[in-house]
Amino acid sequence: MEAGQLLLKSGLLNNAQLMSVRDSNGSGASSVIERAVELGFVREDDALKTIGKEVGLEFVDLAQEVVDLELLEQFPQKLIYRQNLFPIKRDHGSIVVATADPFDLYPLDEAGEQMGAHIHPVLAEKREIAKLIKEHLGVGSETIEGLLEARSDDDVQLLDDIETDGSELSEMAQEASVVNLVNEILLEAVESKASDVHIESRGSGLAIRYRIDGILHAQPVPPEINQFQAAIISRLKIMSRLNIAEKRLPQDGRIKLKVKGREIDVRLSVIPMIHGEGLVMRILDKGTMTFDLRGLGMSQRTYDVFKKLIRLPYGILLVTGPTGSGKTTTLYSSLLEINSPETKIITTEDPVEYQLDGINQIQVHPKIGLTFSASLRSILRHDPDVVLVGEIRDFETAENAIQASLTGHMVFSTLHTNDAASAYTRMVDMGVEPYLVASTVEAVMAQRLVRRLCSSCKIEYDPKSRDMPSDFPWDEYNDEPLFDPNPSGCRECRGVGYSGRMGVYELLVTTDDIRELATQRKSAWDMKQAAVKQEMKTLRDDAWLKAIAGGTSLQEVTRLTKSDSGLAGY
C-alpha cells in the first residue's frame, strides 16, 4: 500500500486532502508526505510514525540521538547529500541510518554494499536530517561537493534583474556552485528565523554566524568553503547592485528575494576588514511580520496608557532603545492602530523596512540632500495629521520635529538612549532649548526584546532555593515556580531552550513634575526617580514581571536590563 493510502487508512488524511496531495504530481512516499505537510494537512512526524508502524520501521527523534562522528567520516557523503540519509551509530554490527523516505530502499542497499555492513533503517523528519547535515558537515557543504549542480532549485528567486561587468570575478560569482551556495546560506537564514547573517573574513578563513532571537550562533563551515570566499562576497554584491571592484570603501545595498514563495527584503552592508570584506545582511521577512499593538507584550496598564498617547492631537512621542530592540515594530503597530480614512499619516524613514497600506512612506536619500530634516519640512506642506520621523539624529531634525508638534501635528520618532528619561537630556544635548523639549515631548517609551522561553521544554525551579539578585521583586512573587531554559532544548526550539522574543517596556509620561525637571535641566537620574515615585515600571521591573509570569528567564532579565536598586524606594 502506498504512502497516501496509508495516511488515508490511518485517518491522517481524508479523501479530498489525498486528492489535493496527488494533484501536485508528487511521486514516492517522501514527496507525498512533503506535500501533505506543506498543505498543512498533517505533521511530518505523525505521518512518518504512522507509515513506520505499517512497514515495520522505527521513528526516532534525531535531537535525542548521539551521532558517531567516526562512522560519519566513513559513510559515503554522496548518499548523505543525494539521498538524504544520515548515519547515526553502530548497533551490534549493523549501522543505524536515518531516512525520511520509508519506501526507497535502493540507497540503503547501496550504503550497505559500500560500508560492508547491514543497514538498519529508521525514520526521521527531513528537516531534522538536514539540521544534522549542516551541524556536522557545515553550511553549504552540499554545494561544495558539487551535488547541487544539476538540481533545479526554485526555493530562492531574485525579484530584480542583476547586471555584471564581465570581469573574471563576476563570472566566477555566477557559477552554479556559487549561486547555490549563496542561496543555501540565505535559505538556512530564513528557515532559522534569523534577523541577521554575518559573513566574516578572518585569518583562518570564512566564518558565518546567524543572529537568532538576538543571539549570534556560529555555523559550522567546512574548510573547502574558503576557496569560494571572494566569489560568495562578489555574488552578494552583484545581487545588491554594488561595485564588486571597490574593496576599499564601505557599501550598502538591498536585495529583493522570494524564498519558498515568501517575499524577503535583505539589507546588505559591506565593510573592508583586515583579512577581507565583511558582510552583514539584515533579513526582513515580510510574510511573517505582523504589526499588532496589543500583541507586542505590553502590560495592560502600559497598553492602556500608550493607546491614549498615540491618539493625542499633537506633541512628540519617542520610542528609545538600541538597534534591534523592536522600535520600528512598535511604531508601525502604533500607526496601523490609528490609521483611518480621516487621518493623513506620512513617514520619512531610512530605510523603509515594511510597506504599510494606507500610509504614505518616504525613503530618505542623504546623498542627494533628502535627509530626515529636509523631508520633514516638505511633509508639513502635505497637510499631515501624524508624522513618523525614522530617527532624530541631529539638532536640525529635532528642531523640525518640535516645530511640527507646535503647529498641531502628532510626531512619532526614535532615539538611541538606554532608558526613557535619557531622551529628554539627549535632545537638550543636541541643542534644543529645555523648555521646548518639556512642552512638546508627551511621553517616552524605552524597550528591549527578551527571549521567550520554549513552552515545550522549559524547566521549573523554586526561586527560594537560589541566590536571587538583590532587586528580585519578592512582593510581586506569588509562590509559583519560575522557569529556566532547558539546556539541551527540544525539537520545537531547535535545541536552544528559547523560541521567539517578547518586549519589555518602560513608559515615562511627561507629567507636570517631569516637565519642571526637564525645564530646569535636571539629570536623567532625577527624572527617572520622579517617574518611579509616580509608579512608572522600569525596564527591569517589567522584565521581572514577565519572568514571574513564566514568559522569560532570570538569565534574560539580567542579560538585557540593568538593576534599578539604587532608585528611591528600592
Side-chain angles (χ1 to χ4, degrees):
M1 191 179 293
E2 56 98 12
Q5 287 295 331
L6 289 175
L7 296 176
L8 180 65
K9 176 185 173 183
S10 67
L12 290 178
L13 292 181
N14 58 39
N15 283 308
Q17 290 171 335
L18 180 57
M19 288 181 64
S20 297
V21 170
R22 286 176 172 167
D23 285 345
S24 65
N25 296 322
S27 61
S30 62
S31 59
V32 168
I33 295 171
E34 281 179 35
R35 187 59 180 151
V37 171
E38 287 174 7
L39 293 172
F41 297 154
V42 66
R43 285 168 51 112
E44 186 181 6
D45 56 342
D46 291 337
L48 288 174
K49 287 174 185 176
T50 297
I51 293 175
K53 287 179 182 177
E54 293 289 340
V55 299
L57 293 179
E58 177 191 2
F59 176 85
V60 299
D61 182 355
L62 291 182
Q64 307 301 321
E65 297 290 335
V66 178
V67 175
D68 184 336
L69 299 180
E70 184 179 344
L71 172 63
L72 180 60
E73 289 182 6
Q74 299 169 359
F75 199 81
Q77 290 202 357
K78 68 176 183 178
L79 294 178
I80 295 176
Y81 299 125
R82 287 177 179 166
Q83 306 299 338
N84 213 40
L85 303 182
F86 197 89
I88 302 173
K89 60 187 176 183
R90 296 185 186 272
D91 185 23
H92 298 96
S94 297
I95 298 176
V96 180
V97 177
T99 178
D101 192 338
F103 292 153
D104 190 2
L105 301 179
Y106 294 108
L108 297 168
D109 292 339
E110 185 178 348
E113 289 178 9
Q114 294 198 35
M115 294 296 293
H118 174 261
I119 300 296
H120 176 67
V122 294
L123 296 180
E125 290 185 70
K126 191 171 183 179
R127 65 172 182 172
E128 293 297 321
I129 294 175
K131 181 179 175 182
L132 281 185
I133 291 173
K134 288 182 171 65
E135 180 181 339
H136 293 287
L137 299 175
V139 174
S141 55
E142 180 178 1
T143 309
I144 290 170
E145 292 293 321
L147 299 172
L148 291 179
E149 293 278 358
R151 190 177 79 172
S152 175
D153 191 350
D154 294 328
D155 284 344
V156 180
Q157 297 175 334
L158 269 174
L159 297 182
D160 291 331
D161 293 332
I162 60 175
E163 300 175 359
T164 61
D165 58 11
S167 66
E168 183 179 349
L169 189 56
S170 68
E171 292 302 315
M172 185 188 304
Q174 298 302 102
E175 291 180 2
S177 58
V178 176
V179 171
N180 287 324
L181 178 53
V182 170
N183 286 353
E184 172 131 348
I185 292 170
L186 292 169
L187 181 61
E188 175 69 10
V190 172
E191 290 183 341
S192 301
K193 298 180 180 178
S195 61
D196 301 88
V197 179
H198 294 240
I199 300 178
E200 300 163 339
S201 300
R202 300 179 179 174
S204 56
L206 203 66
I208 298 176
R209 295 190 286 175
Y210 295 154
R211 188 177 295 280
I212 303 171
D213 291 337
I215 303 295
L216 280 172
H217 297 268
Q219 302 300 304
V221 176
E224 294 85 356
I225 204 173
N226 293 328
Q227 63 184 295
F228 293 93
Q229 178 172 331
I232 291 171
I233 293 172
S234 296
R235 169 66 182 170
L236 287 166
K237 290 170 74 173
I238 289 171
M239 292 167 71
S240 308
R241 297 174 173 270
L242 300 181
N243 181 1
I244 65 172
E246 179 56 77
K247 299 181 181 180
R248 302 165 300 169
L249 296 173
Q251 297 186 70
D252 295 311
R254 198 164 190 168
I255 309 171
K256 291 185 178 180
L257 301 170
K258 185 169 281 189
V259 178
K260 289 195 170 181
R262 303 206 310 264
E263 281 195 23
I264 306 292
D265 248 8
V266 180
R267 284 159 40 193
L268 179 73
S269 174
V270 186
I271 297 180
M273 305 285 188
I274 293 175
H275 298 291
E277 291 175 294
L279 280 70
V280 174
M281 293 181 282
R282 168 64 57 90
I283 309 292
L284 302 174
D285 189 345
K286 298 179 179 179
T288 60
M289 198 64 201
T290 56
F291 299 107
D292 174 22
L293 190 63
R294 190 69 192 94
L296 294 181
M298 296 180 193
S299 67
Q300 187 63 48
R301 179 174 178 273
T302 300
Y303 172 73
D304 290 341
V305 175
F306 193 73
K307 189 170 63 171
K308 293 176 183 177
L309 288 168
I310 62 177
R311 288 176 167 82
L312 290 174
Y314 53 84
I316 297 176
L317 178 61
L318 297 173
V319 179
T320 77
T323 302
S325 60
K327 299 187 298 295
T328 299
T329 302
T330 298
L331 287 174
Y332 278 5
S333 300
S334 302
L335 293 182
L336 290 176
E337 180 88 2
I338 62 175
N339 188 31
S340 70
E342 295 80 29
T343 305
K344 173 91 174 214
I345 302 175
I346 306 179
T347 76
T348 174
E349 306 169 60
D350 183 21
V352 174
E353 294 192 3
Y354 298 94
Q355 296 178 20
L356 306 177
D357 289 337
I359 293 175
N360 304 277
Q361 295 171 273
I362 299 172
Q363 168 75 56
V364 303
H365 291 286
K367 291 181 179 178
I368 61 172
L370 186 59
T371 60
F372 280 128
S373 56
S375 60
L376 184 52
R377 286 195 299 270
S378 299
I379 285 172
L380 296 181
R381 292 193 284 271
H382 268 248
D383 188 30
D385 298 296
V386 178
V387 177
L388 166 65
V389 182
E391 183 183 347
I392 294 178
R393 297 175 179 171
D394 51 37
F395 168 73
E396 190 177 4
T397 306
E399 185 180 42
N400 287 335
I402 284 174
Q403 289 303 318
S405 69
L406 290 173
T407 53
H409 303 88
M410 189 63 196
V411 180
F412 295 167
S413 192
T414 69
L415 275 177
H416 287 288
T417 62
N418 289 326
D419 59 15
S422 298
Y424 299 89
T425 55
R426 176 65 55 83
M427 291 189 71
V428 171
D429 290 343
M430 288 180 184
V432 181
E433 290 295 333
Y435 76 90
L436 287 175
V437 176
S439 61
T440 56
V441 176
E442 296 295 334
V444 183
M445 172 83 88
Q447 67 179 74
R448 298 289 189 278
L449 292 176
V450 296
R451 289 184 292 173
R452 193 187 299 269
L453 284 166
C454 175
S455 58
S456 300
C457 68
K458 60 185 180 182
I459 303 170
E460 292 186 6
Y461 72 91
D462 182 358
K464 294 177 182 177
S465 66
R466 293 192 176 184
D467 183 16
M468 300 293 286
S470 60
D471 66 327
F472 180 78
W474 291 105
D475 55 329
E476 301 277 359
Y477 176 61
N478 53 10
D479 287 329
E480 292 185 2
L482 299 190
F483 293 90
D484 270 341
N486 190 319
S488 57
C490 68
R491 184 187 310 165
E492 298 300 322
C493 62
R494 302 172 72 92
V496 177
Y498 296 93
S499 181
R501 289 189 287 177
M502 63 196 306
V504 293
Y505 301 94
E506 175 179 294
L507 179 58
L508 198 167
V509 179
T510 312
T511 61
D512 290 341
D513 289 343
I514 299 298
R515 291 189 200 280
E516 181 67 24
L517 292 172
T519 303
Q520 295 175 6
R521 294 179 181 263
K522 293 294 185 179
S523 68
W525 174 257
D526 291 330
M527 283 186 271
K528 188 169 187 176
Q529 279 187 309
V532 168
K533 288 178 181 177
Q534 295 171 6
E535 299 187 345
M536 180 190 81
K537 293 290 185 184
T538 66
L539 286 168
R540 183 79 160 194
D541 294 336
D542 196 36
W544 278 130
L545 293 176
K546 286 180 168 64
I548 290 171
T552 191
S553 68
L554 166 67
Q555 297 94 316
E556 283 295 283
V557 174
T558 55
R559 182 178 71 88
L560 280 168
T561 63
K562 185 179 177 182
S563 172
D564 300 310
S565 57
L567 289 177
Y570 275 63

